[in-house]
Each structure stands twice: as C-alpha cells, then as structure tokens.
Amino acid sequence: MMRPIQPPNQNRPRRRPDLTLPVPQRDPSFAVPLPLPPISISISNSNSNSVPSSVPTHHHSPPSFSELDRLHRIGSGSGGTVYKVLHRPIGKLYALKVIYGNHEDSVRRQICREVEILRTVDHPNVVKCHGMFDNAGEIQVLLEFMEDGSLEGIRIPHEPSLACLARQMLCGLTYLHRRKIVHRDIKPSNLLINARKQVKIADFGVSRILAQTMDPCNSSVGTIAYMSPERINTDLNHGVYDGYAGDIWSLGVSILEFYLGRFPFAVGRQGDWASLMCAICISQPPEAPAEASREFRNFIACCLQRDPAKRWTAAQLLHHPFVLQKKSSNGSSQNQVHHHHQMLPPPPQHSSSSAHG
C-alpha cells in the first residue's frame, strides 16, 4: 500500500529553546471577541456560486410553529420523521424533524442547550438548524430544506467531480471541528444537496444526543458500516476514541463508496454486526483501485489509516493534492457534480429514510 504523503504543518523543534520574549501588556479597550476564521469564503468551493448569494438576517428568529403547514413526509428513520413544511407568511420551505418518544425534563433541557448551539452554526456546507418546538410533548426541530435530497446511492467516478464533493464535505467538517463539534455519523445519506448543487452535512448534534439518551445501551443507532475501527472495538487504540479522527475515517469510506458505486468493504453495509465488525476492525482498510489517480489513492490512504493518529485532519485534507486539483478543461468541477447527479434517478420524495437526518 502506498504510504500517505506527510501532512503539512508538522510541529518543528525550536532552534533556540532558551530564547524568551516579554509578554506584551494587555489593553482592556481592545478586549473584544474575535470572529471565527472566514473559511466559508476562503476555503469553500472553487465556484463562487457555492456561497449563498444572500444569508437571511432573521435566522435567529425562527418562524412560529402556528405559521407552518406540513406538506408531506420526506422520510423517516430511527430518530424520527421529517416533513416538508411551508412557512405561510413568506412562502419559504423548511424541513421539520419530529423526534420520536416522550422525553424527561433533563433530556429536554439538554436538547434545548444543544439546539441553541446548533442555531449558531452558519456555513454553506452545513445544513442550518433554525430552532426547536415543543408541541404537545413532541420535540420538533426546524431545519434548512434541501430540495434534491441525499447523495445515497450516487456514483461519481469522475475524479474532478469527486474532488469538488470532497472539498465541500471537508469545508463543512473543518468548520464543525473548529467549533469543537464532532459529527459521529458521516455517511452518504447524511450528505444533502440543494437546487444550487451545494453539498451540505446534515444530521448532527440533536440526533446524537437523543440516540444516547433514549437508549443508553444502543448509542450507535443504525448501521456501524461507516464507523472507525477504534469506535467499534474499544480495545483498539488503548480504548481512546478521537471523534475528529473518527469523522475522517467515515468521510474516507463515503468518498471511496461514491467512486466505486458500492460499499468499499467485502461485506454489505447492511450486513450483520459481526460481519461488519470483522471487515472493519480486522481486515486491512480498503484502498482505491489501481486505475484511480495517484492523488486519489493517496487521499483515501490518508483518511483510512488504522491508527487514528496517522489520519490527516479535515483542515490538512483541504490542502491535499487531490482536493486542490484544477478544474477540468470542459467546465468546473461543480458543474460536473451537477451533471452526475442529474444522470441518476431523482431521490424519492416520500420514502427516503434520511433525506434530512
């Protein structure tokens, strides 16, 4: 297996560790909070259309629940049911996730705190959370509506198109990780695309809290297919689980699945737990095929390292040669993603299991 290129920004020893500098005096008049790095502009997609032309200024004031009309069900999963809803006063569409189960007050308080954090998340490659409603004991979360559904089942063998997709995923993931938010469930069905062909990461935060709180014995609701070896088998890596590195493993498996058009392990992703555990934790990590470019094969190797400490971070992967490759000569890679998505059947509008998390 080809060894991964050494990641950038390696720690370098100081030339003169004995040198010291005086600490400058702090001026209280300049003690203002610094904004987050503008990564949505500087390292987002290569296409200027990838950044929304207008960011709503009212996102801190979600619509009233009484102003929402349910249109139809988008999908359902282990955590709840998602509906397409219309905000009548302005005619805007949203996705409304209705969470299953009755929740104790302590759980509700925890969810409210988490939703308040998620409402501050604002990035063109992360699905926006607009707020939460408590309607007759039902917890309902209002989310950004993504018209074209999830990327589950999509095959993208065209490498410039895949590089564009990887870049968008990494921009969103870098943003979340810089805000100390671990996703824990990166997979194709949690990657959504809108009418402008922006790819956004969905289903983080609230569903993770609910999965762990409602059923402590089953904190990993759903398939383990995209989980890292050390998360499945806690005996690996001395029992230490790094959620950020776990997200990178899941991203690598997802990107390789897009390229191959199938789950990259020797078993099906819906296989039984024992088969998946053996394939992920015991077998060697999957590799990109020989016919793929050297850059793509190395990119996958940088993500799918058995040792989580050897996996590149999301910020480092944004500078990988595969992600930085130039646009193809016949158009931008963004348009190529658009083209490949149009060639495939449209996502189901009523039966998708995870269209909005």
Side-chain angles (χ1 to χ4, degrees):
M1 184 181 72
M2 183 185 300
R3 292 186 177 181
I5 303 169
Q6 289 300 310
N9 303 324
Q10 295 292 319
N11 294 327
R12 298 177 180 175
R14 292 183 178 178
R15 293 182 181 179
R16 292 290 304 279
D18 57 317
L19 292 179
T20 59
L21 292 174
V23 178
Q25 294 297 314
R26 180 173 179 271
D27 187 346
S29 64
F30 292 102
V32 295
L34 295 176
L36 286 169
I39 62 172
S40 61
I41 298 175
S42 62
I43 63 173
S44 189
N45 308 306
S46 58
N47 187 322
S48 61
N49 292 332
S50 63
V51 180
S53 57
S54 62
V55 178
T57 57
H58 59 278
H59 64 275
H60 290 295
S61 300
S64 167
F65 184 78
S66 62
E67 297 174 339
L68 298 175
D69 287 337
R70 288 190 189 182
L71 302 181
H72 59 74
R73 183 173 64 88
I74 298 173
S76 59
S78 57
T81 300
V82 184
Y83 297 91
K84 179 180 178 180
V85 297
L86 176 70
H87 184 212
R88 288 191 308 277
I90 61 173
K92 183 174 180 178
L93 296 173
Y94 291 91
L96 185 69
K97 182 168 186 176
V98 180
I99 307 299
Y100 295 144
N102 295 317
H103 312 288
E104 297 177 356
D105 289 343
S106 59
V107 176
R108 290 178 182 276
R109 285 193 296 270
Q110 187 179 8
I111 294 172
C112 287
R113 285 193 297 268
E114 187 73 6
V115 168
E116 285 306 307
I117 294 172
L118 297 182
R119 285 183 61 195
T120 68
V121 171
D122 191 4
H123 189 274
N125 298 119
V126 179
V127 169
K128 181 68 180 174
C129 174
H130 292 281
M132 185 189 83
F133 305 109
D134 187 340
N135 181 45
E138 252 183 359
I139 294 177
Q140 308 191 14
V141 183
L142 192 66
L143 302 166
E144 177 182 4
F145 178 66
M146 300 291 286
E147 301 92 333
D148 287 358
S150 83
L151 294 181
E152 184 173 15
I154 299 293
R155 187 186 179 204
I156 310 176
H158 184 257
E159 288 195 19
S161 304
L162 201 54
C164 173
L165 171 60
R167 187 181 309 116
Q168 294 188 66
M169 291 176 64
L170 286 166
C171 285
L173 204 54
T174 298
Y175 174 84
L176 292 175
H177 286 183
R178 283 179 176 172
R179 294 183 64 110
K180 310 300 182 186
I181 298 173
V182 177
H183 189 285
R184 291 172 58 91
D185 200 17
I186 295 289
K187 57 186 178 182
S189 62
N190 282 339
L191 301 172
L192 308 183
I193 185 167
N194 63 17
R196 295 188 298 275
K197 304 308 163 186
Q198 290 173 279
V199 176
K200 305 197 180 194
I201 299 172
D203 196 13
F204 60 98
V206 173
S207 58
R208 219 68 52 235
I209 287 179
L210 290 169
Q212 296 173 26
T213 308
M214 290 193 295
D215 188 356
C217 298
N218 186 22
S219 61
S220 302
V221 172
T223 179
I224 65 169
Y226 300 91
M227 293 182 188
S228 61
E230 71 278 3
R231 183 179 173 195
I232 298 171
N233 183 359
T234 55
D235 291 336
L236 300 176
N237 200 39
H238 311 290
V240 176
Y241 173 63
D242 181 346
Y244 303 109
D247 279 351
I248 298 302
W249 174 278
S250 303
L251 177 139
V253 174
S254 300
I255 293 293
L256 186 53
E257 179 174 327
F258 287 132
Y259 181 84
L260 297 173
R262 60 172 176 80
F263 187 59
F265 289 89
V267 298
R269 62 180 179 181
Q270 300 298 334
D272 61 274
W273 188 92
S275 299
L276 281 168
M277 189 275 290
C278 290
I280 297 169
C281 300
I282 298 176
S283 303
Q284 287 299 311
E287 301 176 352
E291 61 267 22
S293 69
R294 177 183 182 274
E295 291 78 13
F296 179 63
R297 285 183 281 124
N298 189 268
F299 176 85
I300 294 299
C302 290
C303 296
L304 301 184
Q305 289 289 307
R306 294 192 67 81
D307 182 354
K310 294 181 179 179
R311 292 174 210 150
W312 285 30
T313 66
Q316 288 171 339
L317 286 168
L318 276 169
H319 298 284
H320 190 281
F322 170 70
V323 177
L324 293 177
Q325 65 178 280
K326 295 180 181 179
K327 297 176 184 178
S328 58
S329 59
N330 61 342
S332 73
S333 55
Q334 176 82 3
N335 290 333
Q336 292 293 330
V337 172
H338 186 175
H339 173 68
H340 279 285
H341 192 262
Q342 281 188 331
M343 288 177 62
L344 292 152
Q349 296 300 311
H350 299 283
S351 59
S352 173
S353 61
S354 52
H356 290 80

